[in-house]
Every structure is written in structure tokens, then in C-alpha cells.
Amino acid sequence: MQVRRYAHSVNFSMAGSDLRIQIRTAPRYQGFVSRAIERDVLGYRMRVAAVEDVLQGKLWAYADERRRPSKRQKDLAEILRLAEAVPSLKDRLPEQIRALMA
């Protein structure tokens, strides 16, 4: 098993497996735990962040001007994909991002 520690997360992966697990350790993510939903992920039953919380995490990442511009663009693309896949999330988007979907 490979474990990588970062400032605000711990990532786990295993050779030969497509499963990747990321645990966010920053305090602002702690509320996500109580809202996590049990799902099947690549044949494993586990608790994962609710889609609304995934969106919130991506919005925080996108808003972080310390991140590399390429990472922020990736966050924006993921925000847009989430809102396209789950239209009810559009109401949670800042106006500047919602305008990109028009």
C-alpha cells in the first residue's frame, strides 16, 4: 500500500487496484463526515462524501488563489461537471460560475 501525506490530506493507493482513497484532514472538512453516504466503490462498501460536500470542497479549492492556475482550472472543470450531472447543485454555485453554464 502506498500512503502519501500532504498538508491537508492523506492519500492511499495499492498497486494493481483502481481504488484511490483521499482523506481530507483540514478542519473545515470535518462536517462532511457526518453527512457521508454509504456506497459501493469498485466492489468495496464504504462511506463517501455527499455530492453537495464534494462540490463545496471543489469550490473551496477553486477559490484558493495560492493553488496553481492549472489546478484551479481542473477544479472549475470538476465543478461544472458536477453541476451538469446533478442539476440541483447549480443553485449552490457562485454567480460567476453559474454564468459559465448559460
Side-chain angles (χ1 to χ4, degrees):
M1 176 178 292
Q2 184 175 30
V3 179
R4 290 189 175 156
R5 297 183 196 298
Y6 298 95
H8 298 288
S9 69
V10 180
N11 296 352
F12 301 89
S13 62
M14 187 173 296
S17 175
D18 291 331
L19 183 62
R20 307 286 183 266
I21 298 173
Q22 180 180 74
I23 299 173
R24 303 297 298 184
T25 57
R28 68 180 173 185
Y29 291 93
Q30 297 309 303
F32 292 11
V33 175
S34 63
R35 295 183 295 274
I37 301 164
E38 193 169 301
R39 297 276 191 227
D40 282 316
V41 179
L42 298 174
Y44 295 93
R45 197 79 178 148
M46 58 181 49
R47 294 179 61 77
V48 299
V51 69
E52 295 84 2
D53 289 335
V54 172
L55 175 66
Q56 182 59 62
K58 289 296 172 185
L59 289 168
W60 286 333
Y62 176 69
D64 184 351
E65 294 182 359
R66 296 169 298 174
R67 289 171 60 85
R68 292 189 326 241
S70 60
K71 289 280 195 180
R72 292 181 71 215
Q73 284 300 305
K74 182 180 174 200
D75 295 324
L76 177 59
E78 291 173 354
I79 289 165
L80 295 173
R81 277 195 295 274
L82 279 169
E84 288 170 353
V86 184
S88 63
L89 294 177
K90 280 185 181 180
D91 295 338
R92 296 172 178 258
L93 299 178
E95 184 55 41
Q96 68 180 24
I97 295 176
R98 197 174 319 142
L100 297 173
M101 299 188 76

